[in-house]
């Protein structure tokens, strides 16, 4: 990773971790992805933007496999997603062959614009929701 993109990654993740995420994950209608911490084993909740399509929930990680929630998914793909205030269990799948820029065109605009602007290694994630 180049120095400017590394700096962008560190600045963005610090802002999200310490300011944005603690506030937004408490908003009742904010979509939240809950993974299991790969080291701690504790639930980790991350506000995300994405969209439910049938029995799947789609999102794009702005920093790909460097994102903590993606690293957690690699260790344990069992997740929960809070959509419109209701929790759903599911299994997350990393989709490296999917075109994340094309995928963002079908996801909520505000979040997609931020992911495109700040992201350095976009990666599509699909969560297959349990019935």
């Amino acid at each position: 990773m180049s120095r400017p993109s590394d700096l962008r990654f560190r600045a963005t993740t610090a802002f999200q971790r310490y300011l944005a995420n603690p506030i937004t994950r408490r908003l009742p209608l904010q979509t939240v992805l809950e993974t299991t911490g790969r080291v701690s084993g504790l639930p980790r909740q991350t506000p995300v933007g994405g969209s439910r399509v049938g029995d799947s929930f789609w999102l794009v990680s702005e920093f790909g496999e460097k994102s903590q929630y993606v690293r957690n998914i690699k260790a344990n793909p069992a997740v929960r997603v809070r959509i419109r205030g209701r929790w759903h269990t599911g299994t997350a799948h990393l989709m490296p062959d999917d075109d994340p820029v094309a995928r963002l065109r079908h996801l909520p605009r505000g979040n997609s614009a931020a992911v495109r602007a700040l992201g350095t290694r976009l990666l599509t994630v699909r969560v297959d929701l349990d019935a």
Side-chain angles (χ1 to χ4, degrees):
M1 186 177 280
S2 69
R3 186 157 171 77
S5 62
D6 186 49
L7 181 60
R8 185 178 350 170
F9 169 76
R10 288 185 302 150
T12 302
T13 56
F15 170 77
Q16 290 171 338
R17 180 176 295 147
Y18 299 113
L19 186 63
N21 290 359
I23 295 168
T24 57
R25 77 172 144 241
R26 288 181 173 86
L27 299 174
L29 295 180
Q30 171 66 49
T31 303
V32 175
L33 176 68
E34 183 179 88
T35 59
T36 301
R38 64 194 175 282
V39 175
S40 69
L42 298 173
R44 299 296 182 199
Q45 295 183 349
T46 305
V48 295
S51 186
R52 182 174 184 167
V53 179
D55 291 332
S56 295
F57 181 81
W58 293 84
L59 65 123
V60 174
S61 168
E62 59 204 336
F63 298 113
E65 295 193 18
K66 283 191 76 173
S67 294
Q68 296 300 317
Y69 69 87
V70 170
R71 295 172 70 190
N72 290 342
I73 287 169
K74 287 177 76 173
N76 180 356
V79 299
R80 292 192 323 151
V81 183
R82 187 178 73 193
I83 306 168
R84 296 188 184 118
R86 183 168 171 243
W87 286 101
H88 305 268
T89 59
T91 304
H93 304 275
L94 306 181
M95 310 291 292
D97 294 331
D98 189 70
D99 180 351
V101 175
R103 179 70 55 193
L104 285 170
R105 290 188 200 111
H106 301 284
L107 300 179
R109 275 191 186 164
N111 181 76
S112 294
V115 169
R116 275 193 300 273
L118 298 172
T120 56
R121 295 183 178 192
L122 304 182
L123 175 66
T124 302
V125 178
R126 184 188 79 225
V127 177
D128 294 332
L129 304 171
D130 298 335

